[in-house]
Amino acid sequence: MTPIISKLPQTGTTIFTVMSALANEVGAINLSQGFPDFETSPELIKLVNSAMKKGHNQYAPMPGVQALRERIAEKTEKLYGAVYNPDTEITITAGGTQAIFTAITAVINPNDEVIIFEPAFDCYAPAIKLMGGIVKSLELEPPDYRIPWDMVKRLINSKTRMIILNTPHNPTATILHKEDIDELSALVKNQDILILSDEVYEHLIYDGETHHSMARYPELQQRSFIVASFGKPFHATGWKVGYCMAPAFLMSEFRKIHQFLVFSVNAPIQYAIAEYLKDENVYLCLPAFFEKKRDYFRKGLEQTKFRLLPCSGSYFQSVTFENITDEKDSDFSLRLTKEFGVAAIPTSAFYTKGTDHHVLRFCFAKRQETLDKAVERLLKV
């Protein structure tokens, strides 16, 4: 047979799959992949069961269940003062990754340039490349991973089509600040540049900080795809239900792709979440819930040889291991898993060039006993 020409020749299995498989193989505590080890709300599960029993088991409408889109519109206006039309500007997706892929597919053409900030979630660059786009990556550095906007300005030219942002940020747990928004707004003003804002951790933000969603700022909202997820806030990553919000002219193109990619998303779960969202406390309580876990885990890690990096959002804690070894982060993460029984993600996996700052990422969305066991093992490193 004629050899297949790979569309992503440099792409292998994701680091999340690799580390989770290794953790399972050796019986390590898995703090690598971002998922909780505690259950979602029993009330939400009952609502899913109820939706199934009511017969909501066939195709949902292509854009998503109307009631859920209306709840999202209400929540967004309440939190950010932004008005989205649930009929034309909100689409329910099979998780955040599908929404990101669909948005990129809808608007990126060959030779369009897309600016991303690394370390970056690993689905951004492959999607851009599949569309023939050109990835323009700007590397950020620990400990604060702040965006150097003067460097961004130098990257922008007539071919720049999109800037991808992620706040709260995976893997670094940093957030955008008002000064970042001001710089971004100035850069894109009078430019034909779109924004893809990955905000799946929007409710996981700490220390009284503000989530600077693109929806807060009309000049940014009008050019932005905003991606969010229900898997992260509701401890149900396996359900793979998220959504995208965008102005009607962008959402129209988004849906053209969406209808042929997944067509529609899990119906009973959509009905259940629509009912669940009627109580705003189910998401307003999340910052305190996860901040408590963050503080507990950080207190434990402070007793180890790892050095903590700031954590302002998401459910990840990054650490440096400069005081422990000069090994590559990829090698050390493998040894940490095999010899000490704790799996983490080496952050070099989030850089195109494999840049190694000797930083690991741990997930603290775990039960207290899980975190206790992990710290106990990490104290031996």
Side-chain angles (χ1 to χ4, degrees), residues 7 15 48 63 82 107 113 126 132 143 164 167 201 215 236 251 253 259 284 293 316-317 324 335 353 369 377:
K7 292 186 176 182
I15 190 65
V48 174
V107 297
E113 295 185 1
I164 299 181
T167 185
Y201 296 101
M251 187 53 69
E253 298 304 313
Q259 67 183 338
L284 293 180
K293 287 188 176 295
F316 302 114
Q317 175 63 57
I324 299 172
R335 188 164 69 86
K353 297 178 181 178
E369 52 265 42
R377 296 180 183 186

Side-chain angles (χ1 to χ4, degrees), residues 19-20 22-31 336-338 340-343 377:
M19 295 308 298
S20 286
L22 180 60
N24 290 335
E25 179 185 334
V26 303
I29 296 171
N30 189 357
L31 302 188
L336 191 66
T337 306
K338 295 175 181 178
F340 296 93
V342 180
R377 296 180 183 186

Side-chain angles (χ1 to χ4, degrees), residues 13-82:
T13 304
T14 71
I15 190 65
F16 311 109
T17 300
V18 171
M19 295 308 298
S20 286
L22 180 60
N24 290 335
E25 179 185 334
V26 303
I29 296 171
N30 189 357
L31 302 188
S32 59
Q33 195 168 2
F35 63 87
D37 69 347
F38 47 86
E39 289 301 319
T40 188
S41 162
E43 179 189 351
L44 182 53
I45 291 175
K46 287 180 182 178
L47 289 171
V48 174
N49 291 338
S50 176
M52 289 178 173
K53 290 176 181 178
K54 288 178 180 178
H56 296 304
N57 300 303
Q58 309 310 322
Y59 293 123
M62 182 272 285
V65 168
Q66 180 73 21
L68 180 54
R69 287 182 279 132
E70 290 175 355
R71 295 295 88 71
I72 292 169
E74 292 167 2
K75 178 172 81 81
T76 303
E77 184 171 10
K78 185 177 298 183
L79 291 177
Y80 310 126

Side-chain angles (χ1 to χ4, degrees), residues 65-340:
V65 168
Q66 180 73 21
L68 180 54
R69 287 182 279 132
E70 290 175 355
R71 295 295 88 71
I72 292 169
E74 292 167 2
K75 178 172 81 81
T76 303
E77 184 171 10
K78 185 177 298 183
L79 291 177
Y80 310 126
V83 175
Y84 282 88
N85 185 327
D87 294 326
T88 59
E89 298 181 318
I90 299 173
T91 299
I92 309 302
T93 63
T97 300
Q98 186 243 310
I100 290 165
F101 184 88
T102 304
I104 291 171
T105 303
V107 297
I108 298 303
N109 292 301
N111 297 316
D112 283 345
E113 295 185 1
V114 181
I115 297 173
I116 69 172
F117 302 100
E118 295 185 336
F121 189 56
D122 64 354
C123 75
Y124 303 158
I128 296 164
K129 293 174 183 176
L130 282 171
M131 295 309 109
I134 299 171
V135 178
K136 291 291 185 178
S137 59
L138 186 60
E139 292 194 0
L140 310 181
E141 297 183 352
D144 56 5
Y145 296 99
R146 295 301 299 272
I147 296 174
W149 291 103
D150 57 331
M151 297 296 292
V152 180
K153 186 174 183 180
R154 296 179 192 177
L155 286 179
I156 291 176
N157 59 59
S158 61
K159 293 183 179 180
T160 305
R161 182 59 172 154
M162 176 181 280
I163 297 173
I164 299 181
L165 298 166
N166 178 203
T167 185
H169 187 263
N170 177 15
T172 69
T174 55
I175 59 174
L176 291 182
H177 298 274
K178 182 56 169 62
E179 51 265 38
D180 295 305
I181 297 299
D182 293 340
E183 294 276 9
L184 174 64
S185 298
L187 279 180
V188 299
K189 187 176 183 179
N190 300 322
Q191 298 266 16
D192 189 23
I193 297 174
L194 301 174
I195 295 169
L196 173 53
S197 188
D198 179 351
E199 302 182 17
V200 300
Y201 296 101
E202 63 174 323
H203 298 301
L204 279 59
I205 196 161
Y206 313 128
D207 304 316
E209 292 282 0
T210 297
H211 172 53
H212 290 284
S213 172
M214 298 302 108
R216 286 186 183 275
Y217 306 96
E219 70 277 15
L220 299 177
Q221 178 192 6
Q222 67 186 1
R223 64 175 75 230
S224 294
F225 292 99
I226 298 175
V227 172
S229 168
F230 295 114
K232 297 298 191 296
F234 295 156
H235 328 311
T237 60
W239 290 2
K240 295 296 290 181
V241 178
Y243 59 95
C244 182
M245 303 186 298
F249 79 99
L250 292 177
M251 187 53 69
S252 174
E253 298 304 313
F254 182 97
R255 289 180 177 178
K256 290 177 184 178
I257 306 299
H258 173 78
Q259 67 183 338
F260 297 119
L261 192 56
V262 297
F263 180 70
S264 65
V265 177
N266 189 305
I269 289 179
Q270 290 191 60
Y271 283 98
I273 294 176
E275 187 68 23
Y276 194 58
L277 283 173
K278 288 182 178 179
D279 179 5
E280 64 180 15
N281 289 318
V282 300
Y283 53 86
L284 293 180
C285 72
L286 290 169
F289 175 79
F290 279 106
E291 185 171 335
K292 185 177 179 180
K293 287 188 176 295
R294 179 203 65 171
D295 293 348
Y296 187 82
F297 188 47
R298 284 176 66 91
K299 185 177 181 180
L301 286 177
E302 285 173 353
Q303 304 171 54
T304 71
K305 295 179 182 177
F306 294 97
R307 184 167 64 85
L308 297 169
L309 295 184
C311 173
S312 298
S314 82
Y315 50 41
F316 302 114
Q317 175 63 57
S318 292
V319 299
T320 66
F321 55 89
E322 297 168 323
N323 297 332
I324 299 172
T325 178
D326 59 1
E327 292 171 88
K328 293 193 299 183
D329 66 356
S330 54
D331 291 339
F332 182 54
S333 62
L334 293 176
R335 188 164 69 86
L336 191 66
T337 306
K338 295 175 181 178
E339 297 183 11
F340 296 93

